[in-house]
Amino acid sequence: MGMEEKTKYSEAELKEFEELIVEKLEKAKNELKILKGTLNKSDDEGTDTTSGNTKVLEDGADTAEKENLSQLAGRQQKFINNLENALVRIKNGTYGICSVTGKLISKERLKAVPHTTQSIEAKLSQQN
């Protein structure tokens, strides 16, 4: 077994990443569903409040919370897109290869951030 650097992950390793990503996708989609449900629910509540005066006080908080939820939902959607793109990369054989250096991204990093397209080195060199 030579010590030369691997240029891509094996089928078995890719399968492992794929399962991890699919699992994360399921969770992310569920969370997004809940977020959207909460957003839609807060829309409904505004229409049928009987006591008008307490509503005014809560309105500001409501709006802030709604914006917060919208942002969360947006981030979640982006995360889902990133994960789906990662699955595409697994299928076309480019998964786990750093888009900047062309080297293999470490397994530890991919396990932590399975949708990443950059190695730690590339990320760090961009920050400087």
Side-chain angles (χ1 to χ4, degrees), residues 82 85-96 114-117:
N82 286 338
N85 290 338
L87 287 178
V88 172
R89 291 196 298 277
I90 286 179
K91 294 209 171 17
N92 67 22
T94 58
Y95 181 80
H115 60 277
T116 188
T117 57

Side-chain angles (χ1 to χ4, degrees), residues 11-114:
E11 290 290 319
E13 287 168 319
L14 287 176
K15 191 93 197 88
E16 205 180 308
F17 288 128
E18 189 175 0
E19 280 165 13
L20 180 72
I21 291 167
V22 167
E23 197 178 304
K24 279 188 188 274
L25 252 178
E26 291 291 304
K27 241 167 80 173
K29 283 181 172 167
N30 277 333
E31 280 169 28
L32 184 62
K33 222 176 19 222
I34 294 165
L35 278 171
K36 284 190 165 160
T38 313
L39 272 169
N40 295 338
K41 220 172 41 239
S42 63
D43 280 345
D44 301 343
E45 281 165 11
T47 46
D48 52 20
T49 1
T50 37
S51 50
N53 49 4
T54 54
K55 190 73 191 106
V56 179
L57 293 174
E58 288 167 6
D59 233 21
D62 258 14
T63 314
E65 194 182 350
K66 204 186 239 165
E67 275 170 17
N68 210 357
L69 283 170
S70 294
Q71 276 182 334
L72 281 174
R75 271 210 295 269
Q76 200 66 5
Q77 186 56 63
K78 207 174 149 197
F79 181 51
I80 289 168
N81 295 346
N82 286 338
L83 288 170
E84 285 173 342
N85 290 338
L87 287 178
V88 172
R89 291 196 298 277
I90 286 179
K91 294 209 171 17
N92 67 22
T94 58
Y95 181 80
I97 297 161
C98 175
S99 61
V100 178
T101 64
K103 294 200 172 112
L104 213 54
I105 301 167
S106 79
K107 209 164 178 173
E108 290 68 39
R109 175 157 167 75
L110 287 170
K111 280 217 157 84
V113 195

